[in-house]
């Protein structure tokens, strides 16, 4: 139990150190956008699930990236380092929701 707690603290510390700027570049360079959209909105025709805003916890994000289910390719540590994964998570976490449709002037009926 103590080892698990230490591991969780280390994982949380790693993502807390992530850089949204580096993560955005990696998100594009690694091709994440192809399935998840350029701002994590999800892919067309169900290509990839919505990641942002409000992504699921880092532990689940990391697990899915390393040991994916369904059709997502696996990104082992040899291909995507823990630091890079933390950067990608920092980017996805930094994405804020867009405005509500009612707040977009062009969508308001006159």
């Amino acid at each position: 139990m103590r080892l698990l707690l230490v591991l969780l603290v280390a994982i949380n510390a790693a993502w807390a150190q992530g850089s949204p700027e580096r993560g955005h570049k990696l998100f594009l360079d690694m091709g994440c956008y192809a399935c998840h959209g350029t701002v994590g909105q999800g892919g067309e025709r169900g290509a990839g699930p919505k990641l942002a805003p409000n992504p699921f916890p880092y532990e689940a994000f990391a697990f899915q990236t390393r040991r994916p289910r369904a059709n997502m390719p696996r990104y082992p540590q040899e291909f995507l380092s823990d630091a890079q994964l933390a950067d990608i998570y920092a980017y996805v976490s930094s994405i804020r929701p867009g405005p509500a449709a009612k707040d977009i002037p062009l969508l308001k009926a006159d």
Side-chain angles (χ1 to χ4, degrees), residues 31-99:
C32 306
Y33 72 92
C35 295
H36 298 288
T38 54
V39 289
Q41 76 272 19
E44 292 184 24
R45 297 183 195 103
K50 177 180 169 184
L51 299 177
N54 307 315
F56 40 91
Y58 179 77
E59 294 82 3
F61 183 87
F63 187 84
Q64 173 63 19
T65 304
R66 300 290 189 214
R67 295 174 196 86
R69 50 194 168 109
N71 296 326
M72 182 171 158
R74 183 174 170 266
Y75 289 88
Q77 206 168 9
E78 301 80 36
F79 187 69
L80 181 71
S81 73
D82 288 340
Q84 290 172 316
L85 184 58
D87 289 341
I88 292 171
Y89 188 77
Y91 165 64
V92 171
S93 296
S94 75
I95 298 170
R96 299 291 164 239

